[in-house]
Amino acid sequence: MSPQSPPSRLDPMSAAFDEARLAAIAGEVPVGAVVVRDGVVIARAHNRTRRDNDPTAHAEVLAIRAACRQLESERLPGCDLYVTLEPCPLCAAAISFSRIRRLYYGAEDPKGGAVDNGVRLFASPTCHHAPEVYGGLRADEAAAMLRTFFQNRR
């Protein structure tokens, strides 16, 4: 979110999908994320790994960074994160370290996910903070967006 962007009361998952579509247009894997505080979208981002030449430029990490700048804090305890795809290990760790209160995600990621699949980071005894997790929001739509993106790249 740029400093000039006003806060948004848009449906958070719709905002995340808008970000995912921007990623697809840019040739990035279509994943979008938004951070919400008190019902207001305070940060939004989409995957930018190719554009930024940065393997850590995942939508969740970028949205968390933007929210931290917006709130001038390294932690986001009263904030919720909405993302179109189950977070990977990198993003799950960022969610834990930033103390996100709730995570809402769309499609499961059986191969690369780390919340309800894979390493299940939040269930690990070494995880310092585990958010409340709500998966499957508009999962079919999110999965279809990813399938279409990868089919078009083949």
Side-chain angles (χ1 to χ4, degrees), residues 22-90:
L22 290 173
I25 290 167
E28 301 276 0
V29 175
V31 177
V34 298
V35 176
V36 175
R37 182 175 183 201
D38 298 327
V40 177
V41 173
I42 62 166
R44 53 193 307 153
H46 57 270
N47 277 358
R48 294 194 328 236
T49 59
R50 289 174 173 247
R51 187 194 94 175
D52 294 358
N53 294 314
D54 179 355
T56 69
H58 292 199
E60 301 95 320
V61 171
L62 296 173
I64 287 168
R65 287 176 183 164
C68 287
R69 281 191 303 274
Q70 178 79 13
L71 299 177
E72 298 180 340
S73 175
E74 80 280 11
R75 299 222 172 121
L76 304 169
C79 297
D80 302 331
L81 178 70
Y82 291 75
V83 62
T84 57
L85 181 65
E86 178 184 356
C88 71
L90 167 79

Side-chain angles (χ1 to χ4, degrees), residues 110-125:
K111 183 177 178 184
V115 176
D116 290 320
N117 291 284
V119 299
R120 298 179 182 188
L121 183 83
F122 303 139
S124 170

